[in-house]
Amino acid sequence: METEIPTPPPLDWTTALESEGQTLLKELDAHPAARRLFQGTIDANGYARYLVQTYHYVRWTMPLLAEAGYRIQRQGKCPALAELLIQKSQEEHGHERWLLSDLKNLGWSAEQVERTEHCPAVAAYVAWNRYTTQCGAPTAFLGTAYVLEYLSVQRASATVERLLAANTIPNIAKAVTFLRGHGQADGEHVAELTSALRSLTDREEQSALLLSARTTRTLYRGLFPDEREQRAPPSH
């Protein structure tokens, strides 16, 4: 009599999504400038630079989330994910103002922030997410959102505590609004997003989300300066 070999249960594709978040944590923990931020030992200039570059991508978050959600509605598919994107756009309302407030308390005017050029990683991030939202698979922005919220859950609150404990940046107690807000809120957001994404069964849509998660994970490192390149002697 033959013994029937049980069929293993299908893998939850969101496990691959979580892996992108975990990989980003490992890469940032290995990056000297990012590690100083997480440890609370970053200096005032480094922290301000991080907030400025964050502002330049966060300002796009609300309109892109809304645009992606309404485009999915027009396509007549994935109504639950369309609603989730629109809901997330509302949750992100005003977060760029948190960053401007934090930077003002570090001595930066809104005009200075606007004049500061965004780094190549931020330019690529905005271009990629505008493309997927307007021309590609609009659900892909949820892959981007997942990675950023996963990072906030794992690092934001602890980073605030360490920055305040170190107290080496003037006025730091009034310059952690953005990190504190995301550390408190994004725990529920990640669980909610993971639950919603498990209902997505279309392989192409899953691949689009994973690609956006991987792209965001790759680009996010670029918010921090590559100190090896800064120390490299000029070529002749």
Side-chain angles (χ1 to χ4, degrees):
M1 178 175 136
E2 294 184 1
T3 303
E4 185 176 341
I5 300 174
T7 303
L11 291 175
D12 182 350
W13 74 275
T14 60
T15 301
L17 199 57
E18 184 178 12
S19 178
E20 293 298 331
Q22 293 171 341
T23 301
L24 176 58
L25 294 180
K26 292 175 184 176
E27 291 172 344
L28 293 179
D29 287 343
H31 192 297
R35 189 167 61 245
R36 284 197 294 273
L37 171 65
F38 297 152
Q39 292 174 342
T41 59
I42 195 168
D43 63 21
N45 287 335
Y47 183 53
R49 182 190 186 281
Y50 166 75
L51 293 182
V52 169
Q53 296 304 321
T54 301
Y55 168 80
H56 281 305
Y57 81 77
V58 166
R59 65 187 299 189
W60 287 92
T61 302
M62 179 187 166
L64 287 177
L65 283 167
E67 189 172 359
Y70 290 125
R71 185 167 166 234
I72 294 171
Q73 284 186 341
R74 291 194 299 272
Q75 292 174 342
K77 59 180 184 180
C78 302
L81 294 184
E83 193 61 36
L84 180 59
L85 281 159
I86 294 168
Q87 174 191 322
K88 284 189 167 297
S89 75
Q90 296 165 350
E91 291 169 352
E92 292 294 318
H93 180 71
H95 287 196
E96 75 281 1
R97 292 200 294 271
W98 289 355
L99 286 155
L100 290 176
S101 176
D102 287 343
L103 284 159
K104 181 179 180 181
N105 288 319
L106 294 176
W108 286 65
S109 68
E111 291 75 19
Q112 282 178 289
V113 176
E114 295 287 356
R115 285 199 307 268
T116 303
E117 184 178 3
H118 39 262
C119 64
V122 169
Y125 169 94
V126 173
W128 169 255
N129 285 293
R130 286 183 70 185
Y131 166 74
T132 60
T133 295
Q134 297 171 358
C135 306
T139 49
F141 200 86
L142 290 172
T144 293
Y146 180 93
V147 167
L148 295 177
E149 290 179 356
Y150 189 93
L151 174 63
S152 292
V153 169
Q154 299 295 327
R155 292 290 183 271
S157 293
T159 298
V160 170
E161 291 177 8
R162 290 166 184 160
L163 285 168
L164 295 178
N167 199 28
T168 56
I169 299 174
N171 219 21
I172 187 61
K174 296 182 178 180
V176 290
T177 310
F178 178 80
L179 287 175
R180 178 177 281 134
H182 279 264
Q184 291 171 346
D186 284 347
E188 294 179 3
H189 292 174
V190 169
E192 176 188 49
L193 183 52
T194 302
S195 177
L197 290 178
R198 288 197 177 106
S199 68
L200 185 64
T201 57
D202 185 286
R203 292 294 180 88
E204 289 188 9
E205 296 276 357
Q206 291 175 358
S207 295
L209 262 85
L210 287 170
L211 179 57
S212 266
R214 190 169 300 118
T215 300
T216 301
R217 184 258 295 171
T218 302
L219 292 173
Y220 195 87
R221 300 194 304 269
L223 267 67
F224 301 93
D226 190 324
E227 296 173 350
R228 294 170 300 178
E229 290 184 5
Q230 291 180 335
R231 291 196 299 266
S235 57
H236 299 284

